Amino acid sequence: MKLSLLSRYAFFGGCILITLLVIPFLSQHPGLWALFILTGLLTLVGIHDLRQEHHSVCRNYPVLGHIRFLVEFIRPEIRQYLLEGDDEKLPFSRAQRSLVYARAKNEGGEKAFGTLVDVYKPGFEFIGHSMRPLPVKDPIEFRVQIGGPQCRQPYSASIFNISAMSFGALSANAIRALNKGAKMGNFAHDTGEGSISPYHREFCGDLIWELGSGYFGCRNDQGGFDPHKFESQAQDPQVKMIEIKLSQGAKPGHGGILPKHKITAEIAATRGVPMDRDCVSPSSHSAFSNPTELMHFIAQLRELSGGKPVGFKLCLGHPWEFMGIAKAMLETDILPDFIVIDGKEGGTGAAPREFSDNIGLPLREGLLFVHNTLVGINLRDKIKLGASGKIVSAFDIASIMAIGADWVNAARGFMFAIGCIQSQSCHTNKCPTGVATQDALRQQALVVPDKAQRVYNFHRNTLHTFAEMLAAAGIDCPSDIGPHHLVRRTSTTEVRLFSQIHVFLKPGELLDESFEGEFYSRMWKMARADSFDACNIDVLPSARAVRGKMAL
């Protein structure tokens, strides 16, 4: 017991003792003042620790207890810079970040002395190469035409674009750098749901205007959709497409909040919101309440925008809800021009841990389901599919396009390109690199011309490597890559093609009454065009009968 007390209070007692002992010698030895001030302050800290009631550690270990909080405070930095392995994904590995940094700086992404990846570990993936490689194509040709039969102003998009990130979540200089880089590279920049700021317009890069449940930039005084405000912005030539955000991967079904301490006068003007309260994005839309109304809303936006491509983004949740949207397409004969599938592995400025970890479908399963549903109702050729969720490398692009995507978006990859160091402090307004903050002084660290060049470099070099991969595989163009080109190790002794692992529906199968695909057939019977609720619940087997196989 006495030894325990000694260990707990020895440092605090030593500070008191030294403080008292040096007092008589201060006048004769001025150099002792520094020691006196230091030990005196630590003594005061220890006295405070004994009196406070919030931290038990500090009451039991006065002064020394603060070491715990100091180590806890710098733990992420210690782990990231000293202890983290090259392939530990937290959420992006050092190897992934280093690849982006190198390509953004035009340093290349070469690796000497062979791979560090365990190629015999289950889950390892690769693309098969051809005995007759093709000449490498210029990636400037890698574009996709977005705009279905009901669109009057189709858009030719790059297959690699900047995903949704709002002004407000990102700084003004970050938006400037991203948009200038997009302009230099002729690819698109998604505004995020924070509307179109002056910084999006400064360099005239192509914009995809994301319309969230807050209807920022086109909302009325009650927070609902204002068609007149929408029309005035949507017809701007810089806006190439309109994207309705139904949900996002990192926090599907949650909505969002921009804290009032981050709302500047510019953000308030851009979004059309007051500055004296948190800016709330509701969890659901007020402009529609069921799949059929969603289709009519899409038609309204397309007409108000002058016939530009209109689509929606979602992180897949209940499968029957998307199939209800598919049924509404058939019943109304109104089609979205595109759909963007966001995986639950996507990022956000802040989200409850349970939402980030345990809600929503990962990108690949969501993409496969949407692709198969559209194929199964004979609409896949009329609707383009985008995909987003932890895409930073050429192989990431290849693996997603192989299972159904027409193009991909990246958010955090482009954040790395403009200097993000994955400090994970986006929600604090204290981003150390000026990317995710509204602090004017911190923003100055982000030099727009330099970072815009890096955005351009990252895009160009990644697509160049993608072009080299396609050529090595004997594939002529991105649209030709398929699930038979990609391979995954399923055990230490077996590899299988993606086409062998995943289920792929045939055209029109869902419309065939004799179709017997267990999962897809069941979800189709549950889907309703007039409601997001499920019907025919009796088609669900009991938990005893089926132990939850979602075959995608």
Side-chain angles (χ1 to χ4, degrees):
M1 182 68 176
K2 291 180 179 179
L3 287 175
S4 174
L5 283 172
L6 180 64
S7 66
R8 287 162 52 189
Y9 297 103
F11 188 81
F12 175 47
C15 291
I16 297 174
L17 183 61
I18 293 173
T19 302
L20 295 175
L21 288 176
V22 300
I23 290 176
F25 304 100
L26 289 176
S27 59
Q28 301 172 8
H29 303 281
L32 291 176
W33 275 100
L35 179 62
F36 171 73
I37 292 173
L38 175 63
T39 57
L41 288 174
L42 291 176
T43 297
L44 293 176
V45 169
I47 294 171
H48 174 267
D49 288 343
L50 290 173
R51 295 174 59 84
Q52 58 84 35
E53 299 178 352
H54 299 293
H55 302 294
S56 300
V57 171
C58 290
R59 282 172 68 89
N60 275 330
Y61 297 88
V63 184
L64 279 179
H66 290 277
I67 295 176
R68 172 197 180 258
F69 298 106
L70 173 64
V71 173
E72 188 178 63
F73 180 73
I74 63 174
R75 178 183 179 275
E77 286 77 11
I78 292 175
R79 177 162 179 77
Q80 179 167 321
Y81 291 111
L82 300 178
L83 304 177
E84 176 189 334
D86 283 346
D87 294 311
E88 291 183 68
K89 298 184 177 181
L90 301 171
F92 286 86
S93 69
R94 177 172 292 278
Q96 289 175 307
R97 300 196 306 272
S98 296
L99 178 65
V100 176
Y101 296 148
R103 288 191 171 148
K105 296 175 184 177
N106 254 346
E107 294 173 355
E110 291 77 13
K111 172 74 176 63
F113 218 62
T115 182
L116 298 178
V117 176
D118 183 356
V119 299
Y120 293 100
K121 182 179 180 180
F124 170 67
E125 295 178 348
F126 60 98
I127 185 170
H129 66 279
S130 174
M131 299 292 286
R132 47 163 191 77
L134 299 177
V136 178
K137 284 201 167 184
D138 187 344
I140 199 171
E141 301 174 15
F142 293 171
R143 306 191 72 81
V144 57
Q145 188 84 349
I146 303 173
Q150 298 164 353
C151 171
R152 300 195 301 274
Q153 296 188 54
Y155 175 57
S156 176
S158 168
I159 63 166
F160 186 36
N161 301 290
I162 301 172
S163 195
M165 294 180 285
S166 301
F167 169 57
L170 297 192
S171 68
N173 277 2
I175 295 295
R176 285 185 176 112
L178 290 170
N179 195 255
K180 185 175 182 180
K183 177 67 173 180
M184 294 166 65
N186 193 25
F187 54 98
H189 178 193
D190 193 312
T191 65
E193 64 178 307
S195 191
I196 306 170
S197 71
Y199 310 109
H200 286 99
R201 299 188 185 280
E202 195 167 321
F203 297 103
C204 301
D206 290 352
L207 294 178
I208 300 170
W209 183 12
E210 183 177 89
L211 205 62
S213 54
Y215 306 113
F216 301 126
C218 59
R219 59 188 271 139
N220 57 31
D221 294 338
Q222 292 74 43
F225 176 70
D226 187 322
H228 301 293
K229 290 181 180 178
F230 172 82
E231 184 176 18
S232 65
Q233 290 224 63
Q235 294 201 10
D236 187 315
Q238 190 182 352
V239 176
K240 303 301 181 182
M241 302 200 300
I242 313 297
E243 176 184 277
I244 305 167
K245 191 197 87 167
L246 302 183
S247 59
Q248 70 179 93
K251 49 183 179 182
H254 185 266
I257 296 178
L258 182 66
K260 62 182 180 182
H261 68 266
K262 290 188 71 175
I263 301 177
T264 64
E266 293 169 312
I267 294 173
T270 297
R271 297 193 177 195
V273 297
M275 295 179 61
D276 60 350
R277 68 200 73 167
D278 293 341
C279 176
V280 178
S281 299
S283 57
S284 61
H285 282 260
S286 59
F288 56 88
S289 60
N290 61 52
T292 299
E293 291 178 359
L294 170 60
M295 291 303 105
H296 288 295
F297 187 54
I298 288 172
Q300 180 187 15
L301 297 186
R302 191 153 44 211
E303 185 62 32
L304 290 172
S305 67
K308 293 180 180 180
V310 177
F312 59 88
K313 177 180 83 172
L314 82 165
C315 175
L316 195 69
H318 298 311
W320 60 83
E321 292 185 346
F322 179 77
M323 284 192 163
I325 294 174
K327 284 187 175 181
M329 295 178 198
L330 295 175
E331 290 187 10
T332 63
D333 199 29
I334 299 171
L335 305 181
D337 297 291
F338 65 91
I339 300 170
V340 176
I341 299 89
D342 198 18
K344 73 159 287 75
E345 61 268 45
T348 184
R353 183 176 292 274
E354 293 85 352
F355 276 75
S356 292
D357 292 349
N358 303 114
I359 293 186
L361 207 61
L363 172 57
R364 291 190 181 184
E365 284 75 15
L367 173 60
L368 275 166
F369 182 79
V370 172
H371 171 77
N372 273 333
T373 300
L374 296 179
V375 169
I377 60 174
N378 286 325
L379 291 180
R380 181 62 184 89
D381 60 331
K382 297 179 175 65
I383 300 171
K384 293 296 190 291
L385 294 184
S388 59
K390 292 190 76 170
I391 297 170
V392 295
S393 73
F395 182 77
D396 294 336
I397 298 174
S399 64
I400 295 302
M401 295 190 74
I403 56 174
D406 294 299
W407 87 91
V408 301
N409 297 330
R412 286 168 291 180
F414 282 101
M415 286 178 70
F416 292 142
I418 60 174
C420 171
I421 60 172
Q422 194 171 271
S423 68
Q424 300 182 57
S425 58
C426 310
H427 60 298
T428 66
N429 207 29
K430 296 179 180 179
C431 172
T433 58
V435 175
T437 180
Q438 297 306 307
D439 185 305
L441 187 60
R442 289 176 180 268
Q443 288 188 51
Q444 291 180 12
L446 198 158
V447 180
V448 173
D450 175 63
K451 302 307 183 190
Q453 183 66 46
R454 294 190 184 193
V455 169
Y456 167 73
N457 291 343
F458 170 57
H459 178 270
R460 183 194 61 196
N461 291 330
T462 301
L463 284 189
H464 177 72
T465 303
F466 179 59
E468 292 181 317
M469 292 185 75
L470 292 184
I475 300 170
D476 187 55
C477 64
S479 60
D480 291 338
I481 191 170
H484 55 288
H485 292 115
L486 273 290
V487 188
R488 180 184 302 157
R489 179 171 289 283
T490 55
S491 74
T492 54
T493 59
E494 183 181 23
V495 297
R496 301 180 70 189
L497 300 175
F498 277 27
S499 56
Q500 296 173 299
I501 297 172
H502 301 299
V503 173
F504 290 92
L505 297 192
K506 297 176 183 177
E509 262 192 310
L510 282 175
L511 303 177
D512 186 348
E513 294 184 3
S514 62
F515 174 57
E516 296 181 353
E518 179 190 343
F519 172 71
Y520 283 93
S521 177
R522 201 177 337 123
M523 293 301 107
W524 186 251
K525 291 174 183 176
M526 292 172 63
R528 301 171 54 180
D530 64 340
S531 174
F532 287 114
D533 295 331
C535 64
N536 294 328
I537 301 297
D538 57 314
V539 303
L540 284 172
S542 68
R544 273 177 206 265
V546 175
R547 291 295 180 182
K549 264 196 176 182
M550 186 173 176
L552 295 176

